[in-house]
Amino acid sequence: MAYILAILGGVLATGALGLEATVFGALIGYLLGAVYQQGQRLQRLSQELDQLKGVPVESRRQETPKAAHAHSTAAPPSRLEAEPSEIDFDLELPDEPEASTPVPVHRSPPPAQEAPQPTLASRLAGMLQAYFSGGNLIVRVGIIVLFFGVAFLLKYAADNSYLPIELRLAGVALSGVVMLVLGWRLRQRRILYALALQGGAVGVLYLTVFSALRLYSVLPAGLAFGLLLLFVVLATLLALLQDAASLAILATAGGFLAPVLTSTGEGSHVALFSYYLLLNAGVLSIAWFKAWRLLNLVGFAFTFVIAGIWGYRYYQPEFFATTEPFLVAFFLMYLAISVLFALRQPPNLRGLIDATLVFGVPLVSAALQAALVKDLPFGLAYSALALGALYLLLAMLLFRRADGALRLLAETFLAIGVVFTTLAVPFALEGRLTSAFWALEGAAMIWIGIRQSRRLPRLFGSVLQLLAGLLYLEDPHWVYGQTPLLNSHFLGAALIGFAGLFSAFWLDRNSEQNESYERLSAPLLFLWGLAWWLGAGLQELDRFTYGSDQWTGILVFLAVTALLGDRARVRFEWPRPRMVSLALLPALLPVALFVWLDQPHLLAGYLLIAWPVALAGQYLLLWRLRDGEGVPLDVWHVGSLGLLTFLLTAEAAWQLDQAVAGARLWEMIPWGAVPTLIGLLLLSVGQRLAWPVQRHIIAYNVKAMAVLAVYLLGWAMLANVSSPGNPWPLDYMPLLNPLDLTILFALLLLARWWQQVGDWMVQSGVTSGQYHGLLGVAFFLWCNGMVARSVHHWGGVPFDAGLLFQSQVLQASIAVLWAVLGLSCMLAGNRFRLRPLWLAGAGLMGLVVIKLFLFDLSNTGTVARIVAFIGVGLLLMVVGYFSPAPPRDAEPQVAGEGKA
C-alpha cells in the first residue's frame, strides 16, 4: 500500500509542481501509506490481545460501540503476549526470526506442495486490493482525493492569478493546520482517522513551504528553513505523544531534506552538520524510548549519504579540523542507536540486533575517515586502532551485563574490534588494506546472518567479499622494498582468504539454514578463500626469494597449508578441509618436475631439508586420514611412493654423474637401479611394516609394484637399444657391467613379484603364461642387446643399427645365441613339462636353421660363419638326444607362492 501511494504521490507532484517535486511527493505518499499501515496494525494487535486474554470481541464491541464500528475488521491471532501499554506497535519484526525465539502462534497444517511464489505484478495488485478493501475505505479514498485536490489547487493557482500567490499559499497552509488540529482532536476516538489526517497535514505543510520557496520565491531561504525545522519538531512531538513511528519518520525525512531544498549553494558546512547533529540527537533521544528501526535507518542514510556527497564535491584538507568532530559525533550517535535498538526490544525479542546499523556504521564511517586522513601520516592506523579499542571496550561491557540476551551484540562488537585492531598494524606500515577490511566485514555479515537466520545479510556478505577481491586486483600499484609478510600485499590477500574460509565454515556448520541457491556458497567461498591464501603466499615467495630458496619456500608453504587444513578438519569437526590435505600430493608432483628442470639437482641448497619436510608432512596426512571414508587413499599411497622414488632416482643420477663425469652410462644407471632397489625393499622389508604397507597391502604390493613393473620394463628396453653400455673408467665385460646387471636385476625383481602376487593376478585375469611370456620376450631382447654391445666393444663395430646388422660377427653371434636360448627352452620345457616353453624353443631353433641356410650360406668362408654352423649343429644334436619331442602333458597352472 505504501508503495502504491509513493508512486501516486510522485506522479501527482510531477504533474502539478514539476520534476523538482517528484522525490518529495513520492516520499510523502509513502509515509502516508505507512501511517495507514500503522493504524491498521494498532487495530489488529488490540483485537488479538483481547483474544489472547480470553475476552470476546463481541463484549468489547458492546462496551465501545462507536470504536467497534471504526474497527470492524478482524485479524488472525497475534504472537505478542503483553499489556496494551507495553506493546510497541511500530516495531518492525524481522522477516526471519531466530530459531531460539519462542513463537506461540496457531498454525494450520502445511500444504502438501509449496505454493508458487507470487510475481511482482500480483503482489502490487494484492496490495492495491487490500488497501481499498480493508479498514476504513472512505478515509483512504478521501485522503488520496484530498492529496490530488491540494496539488491541483496549487497548479490551478499558479496558472490563474485570481488571488495573490501569498494569499493562495496561506490558504493551503491554513487547510493543513486545520487538518492537523482535527487529527489531534480525534486521536482518542478515531485513531486511524486521526493519524491519516495528521500525516496528510504534515505533508501539505512541507509541500506548501517548498512551493513558496522554489516555485514562487515568496519566502526567503532562512524563513523557509525555520518553518521546515518547526514542522520537524512538531511532527516528532506528535509521533512520540501518539506512539506513531510513521509521523516521526515523516518529520525526520523532512528535516534532513530541509537544508537541501532551501540550499542556495553558499552555506557553511559547519552550519549544515550542526543542524544534522541536532536532528540526529532527536533520533537518538527517540531511540532511547522506542525501537523504531525504520526511523534509525532513515536518519543513518540521510546523514551519511548527504555527508558523503558533500565530501566528494567540496571537501578540502583545510576543512579537516571542522569536519572530523562531526564525523566522530555522527558515528558515536548511531553506534549508541544500534545498542539501544537491541535494548528496547520486547522481552521475547530482546537482544535482536539491526545488522544494517551494526555493520554499516563502522563500514561507512571507516570509509569516510580514510578519505579525511589519507594525507596524514599514520592517520588510518591510529583511526583503526581507536575504532578497534572502542568496540572491544563495548564488547567487554556488554559481556559483563547480567542479561545474556545481548551476547550476540557483544560477540559482534568483539569481532569488529578484533578486525580493526588487527588492521591497525598493516595500516601503520602501508595504507593498502581497504579490500581486506571489506572482506572481513563481509564475513562478519555472513556470520550475523547465520546467527539471526536471515538471508539478506548472508547474500550481502558474499557479494562484499567478491567486491573486495576485485578491488584488490584492480590496484596495479606494487610497492617494493617492503618487509616480508608485514606488508599490505600479503596481509590484504591473506585476510581476504581468511574471510572466505571463515564464511565457508559457518555456512557448512549451519547448512540447514541454507536456501537452495546457497548450496554452492560454502564450496565456492572455501575455494575462493583457499585460492587467495595460496596466492598470497606464492606471491610473497616470488617477490622475496630466488632460485632454490624460492622452491624451498614453496614446498614448506604447501606442506604447512595442508597440515593446517587437516588441523582445522579435526579441531572444528569440519570435513571440507580434507580436500586441502589430499591436494598436497597433486601439488608436490608438478613442483618436483619444475625443480628438476629448473635446478641443477632436486636437493640443491635448502631443498635438502624442504623435501624431507614435505614428504614427512604427506605421510603424516596419510596416517591421519587412514580411517577416512570415501577417500581413495590407495591412489595417494601409490603416488607418494612414486614421488619418493622419483626424488631418490633423480638425485642419485645427478650425484653419480658428478662422481663419474664424462660417462653418460653412469647417469642412466640409477634410473633403473633405484626403482629396482625400492621394489626389492618393498617386497622384503616393507612387508614387516604394519603401516602403511600392511594396512594398504593391495595398494603397495599390487598397484604400486605394477607401476614400477611397467616403468622398469620400459626403461630396460629403452636402455637396451639406445646405450652402448660403456662403463668408463671400467673395462667392458659382457653381463658383468652396470647396464646389463641393472637390467638383469630388474627382470629378476619382476619374476620375484609374481611369486608374491600371482594368486591375485590370476584372479584379475592375468595368467602365468601371459606374464612369464612377457618376461621371456624382455629377456630375449636383453640377450640380443648384450650380444650387440659385446660385438661393439670387442669386435670394433660402431654402435649403429645399420653397421651392426651388416657385421658378420654379430650375425654369427646372434645365431649361436638364439640356438642356445632355443636349446635351453626345449630342455626346460621337457624337464618341467611345459609344452608352450618347449614349442617356443623349437621355433627359435627353426629360425636359427632358416637364418643359416637362407641368409648366411653365401658367407660360409668366414671364421664366424664356420663357428656358427658347427655350433648350431652340435646344439641340434644335443636337443635331439635329450628332448626329441614336446612333452605330452599340457602346461600346469602355475600360481604364485605368496599372497597379495
Side-chain angles (χ1 to χ4, degrees), residues 16 435 494 670 683 688 881 897:
S435 57
L683 295 179
R688 305 172 188 172
Y881 178 79
E897 299 177 2

Side-chain angles (χ1 to χ4, degrees), residues 461-485:
S462 301
V463 174
L464 192 58
Q465 292 187 57
L466 176 61
L467 293 177
L470 295 178
L471 178 63
Y472 183 97
L473 297 175
E474 183 187 15
D475 189 354
H477 179 63
W478 289 89
V479 181
Y480 294 92
Q482 303 167 319
T483 305
L485 301 182

Side-chain angles (χ1 to χ4, degrees), residues 42-117:
L42 178 64
Q43 174 188 352
R44 184 171 64 250
L45 292 178
S46 298
Q47 294 177 355
E48 293 170 357
L49 183 62
D50 290 340
Q51 293 179 1
L52 290 175
K53 287 185 175 181
V55 179
V57 178
E58 290 75 8
S59 63
R60 181 181 177 89
R61 290 177 177 173
Q62 293 174 2
E63 294 176 2
T64 57
K66 295 182 179 180
H69 178 71
H71 310 291
S72 58
T73 304
S78 172
R79 295 182 296 178
L80 301 178
E81 297 182 2
E83 294 297 329
S85 59
E86 299 176 353
I87 299 178
D88 185 359
F89 297 109
D90 297 288
L91 174 64
E92 294 195 10
L93 298 178
D95 297 333
E96 301 178 60
E98 289 188 357
S100 60
T101 303
V103 183
V105 56
H106 303 284
R107 294 187 175 90
S108 60
Q113 295 182 353
E114 184 178 357
Q117 295 294 332

Side-chain angles (χ1 to χ4, degrees), residues 317 370-377:
L372 293 181
V373 301
K374 63 181 180 180
D375 297 325
L376 300 178

Side-chain angles (χ1 to χ4, degrees), residues 106 128 204 318 348 366 608 667 738 781 822:
H106 303 284
L128 185 63
V204 168
E318 55 267 22
N348 62 332
L608 181 62
E667 183 183 4
L781 295 177

